[in-house]
Amino acid sequence: MRRMVMVVALAAALLVPGGPLPVAEAGSSAAASAGRWSAHEAESFWTAERMAAAAPLPPVTPEPPEPPAPEPPLEPLAPLEPLEPTPAGTPAPDTAEPSVTPSVLVPVPTPALPALPTATPTPTPTPTLLPVPKPTPKPTPKPTPKPSLLPAPARPVVPRVPATDPGIGQNFDGIPVVGRMFLVKNGGSYFCTASVVASPGRNLVLSAAHCLLGSDTQQVAFVPRYTRAKPQPYGMFPVLRDAAGRSRIWIDPRYRSQGPDRAATLDVAFAQVGPDARGFPVQDVVGGNRLVTGAGYAHAKVSLIGYPASAARPRLCVNRTTKFTSKDARIPGSFLRIDCTGYPGGTSGGPFLLRYNGQTGTGDVVGVIGGWKTGGDTADTSYSSYFGADIRKLYEKAVAGAKVR
C-alpha cells in the first residue's frame, strides 16, 4: 500500500535514546490514567521533537471479531409432582368450555330524560382593588466585581491559498481547519492528516479509519495547521477517553471486523477532541468544514490537503474527481478518485474539500484520503470512500456520543 511505503525509510525517526518511543513513563506528567488525557498532558507528551519524529502508520490488519458473550447455563427443571389416582367409575370432569348459542341483539328503547331546569346565571362579582403599599426604598448595594474571564479566541487569520495548476501538488503553510493527528501505537509515534468537521458540540475531527484503528491506539491528539516551524499555532486538542481508557473514536464496526480491504468503502473515522489548554473547543478556535453526503462522485473542482511524511509543511492540490469502481474482488466498491502529485504516506485522512471559501478557510468535505488500498498505491493518485448513508449514520452516532453534557 503506497500510504505505507515511507515507513521503512523513516523507521529510524521512531527511535529515541534507549529504544523505541515509550508510551508514557509511569509517574511522568504525560502518564495518562483511564479517562484522563487533557490538553496539558497532551502538550507535555507531544513535544516539538516528538511530533517532528513521528512517521506515517504501518499497514493495518483486520481486528479479530469480538467473541460472543457466553450464554448462561440453563436452570434444571423442577420435578413434576405425582398425580393422585382417580377412583374407578368416577366420571372425568368436563374441561371443555360450554357452548355458547349466538343470540340476536334486540334494540332496547332509550327512556326519555326529563328536561333539566334552566340555570339562572350568577352575576360575576366585581373584584375590589386593594391599595398597594409603596415599598420602602432600600440602599443600593455595591456591585460585586465579576471574576475576569478569558477573552474569546480570536478569529484565525486565513492564509492566502496559492494558485496551482490542476493536478499539481504544492507545499504551502496550511489552513487552520486542517492539521496533523498524532498517536502512539506499539511504542512508536505516528501521524495522519485530519480536519475539523462542524458539529453541535463543536468538538469533532474527521480522518481515515485505518489511521485510528486498533485498541492500542493511545495518546491521540489533533494539532491544527501543524508545521515544523510552528508546531502549535492554535494549540493542541486531545482525543478524549472514556472511563475505561479507550479513545473516543467512531469507526463502522464492519471496518473493524472485515479490515481495510473488504470494508474499504467505510474507511472513515470521527473522533471527539477535548478543549485546548485555555478551555476552548476546537471549532471555536479554527472553524469547521461542513460534512456533505450523497453528493456524487464527479466534481469539477476539489481541494485536496494532506501532510506528506517527509515534508515540513502540508500540501495542496486542486483537481476534478471521478468515480472509480474496483475490479479487485478483494477490495469491492466504488470510490472517489483524484489525480494529484506528491501525496505519499502521512496524507491519509486529508479532506476532499468542495467550495473552499478563502474568507472563512472552510469548505464542504465530501471525502478523506483512504478507501481503496487505504488511499492508493501511488503518490500521484488518491482515493476516498464515498460519503453516503453509512457515513451519515456514523457522523450522527458520533454527534450523539460527543454531546456536551
Side-chain angles (χ1 to χ4, degrees):
M1 300 180 185
R2 65 100 165 168
R3 295 291 170 215
M4 313 305 175
V5 296
M6 303 283 298
V7 174
V8 175
L10 291 176
L14 293 177
L15 300 179
V16 295
L21 177 68
V23 173
E25 298 81 0
S28 71
S29 59
S33 59
R36 180 170 175 80
W37 177 242
S38 69
H40 294 289
E41 279 87 17
E43 289 179 352
S44 177
F45 183 84
W46 286 110
T47 62
E49 294 77 17
R50 188 165 282 175
M51 287 190 285
L57 282 167
V60 294
T61 55
E63 291 186 350
E66 296 183 0
E71 296 184 0
L74 297 177
E75 297 182 359
L77 296 177
L80 296 177
E81 296 183 358
L83 297 177
E84 296 182 358
T86 304
T90 304
D94 187 6
T95 57
E97 295 184 359
S99 59
V100 178
T101 303
S103 58
V104 180
L105 298 179
V106 180
V108 179
T110 304
L113 297 175
L116 297 175
T118 304
T120 304
T122 305
T124 304
T126 304
T128 304
L129 299 179
L130 298 176
V132 180
K134 295 182 179 180
T136 305
K138 296 182 180 179
T140 304
K142 295 181 180 181
T144 304
K146 295 182 179 181
S148 59
L149 300 176
L150 290 175
R155 183 178 179 181
V157 177
V158 180
R160 179 179 174 272
V161 174
T164 61
D165 293 331
I168 305 300
Q170 177 179 337
N171 291 352
F172 76 127
D173 289 333
I175 59 175
V177 80
V178 182
R180 272 192 181 189
M181 182 77 91
F182 292 96
L183 57 103
V184 167
K185 183 188 291 285
N186 294 328
S189 64
Y190 301 99
F191 76 89
C192 276
T193 304
S195 58
V196 184
V197 61
S199 67
R202 311 182 73 79
N203 57 0
L204 286 183
V205 294
L206 168 68
S207 189
H210 73 266
C211 290
L212 300 175
L213 191 67
S215 57
D216 59 341
T217 301
Q218 296 293 334
Q219 274 82 15
V220 192
F222 174 67
V223 182
R225 202 186 170 192
Y226 168 89
T227 63
R228 197 168 299 166
K230 295 182 179 179
Q232 293 187 46
Y234 298 102
M236 186 175 291
F237 298 85
V239 172
L240 297 182
R241 297 172 175 175
D242 60 19
R246 296 182 296 262
S247 298
R248 296 188 62 80
I249 296 169
W250 288 266
I251 296 173
D252 193 295
R254 291 168 291 180
Y255 193 87
R256 295 185 184 275
S257 60
Q258 299 175 23
D261 287 341
R262 293 297 303 172
T265 57
L266 302 171
D267 192 3
V268 178
F270 296 95
Q272 180 185 0
V273 295
D276 61 10
R278 301 176 67 212
F280 294 112
V282 65
Q283 192 175 327
D284 286 356
V285 177
V286 300
N289 296 315
R290 295 164 297 278
L291 181 75
V292 176
T293 58
Y297 296 84
H299 303 287
K301 185 178 180 181
V302 169
S303 300
L304 186 68
I305 301 175
Y307 278 83
S310 58
R313 300 185 299 165
R315 193 167 182 84
L316 169 71
C317 175
V318 179
N319 206 355
R320 67 188 182 96
T321 60
T322 57
K323 182 178 182 179
F324 169 80
T325 300
S326 174
K327 296 180 180 179
D328 189 339
R330 298 169 299 176
I331 315 174
S334 296
F335 307 86
L336 276 73
R337 169 179 168 155
I338 188 169
D339 292 325
C340 278
T341 60
Y343 283 77
T347 57
S348 289
F352 285 55
L353 295 179
L354 280 179
R355 295 176 284 274
Y356 175 76
N357 186 324
Q359 299 295 322
T360 64
T362 62
D364 296 340
V365 58
V366 295
V368 294
I369 296 178
W372 192 74
K373 294 190 176 181
T374 62
D377 52 6
T378 71
D380 298 335
T381 300
S382 298
Y383 299 84
S384 169
S385 302
Y386 178 66
F387 280 18
D390 287 329
I391 306 306
R392 169 61 61 176
K393 292 177 182 177
L394 185 65
Y395 168 76
E396 292 172 351
K397 185 177 180 180
V399 166
K403 188 178 298 182
V404 178
R405 293 173 175 84

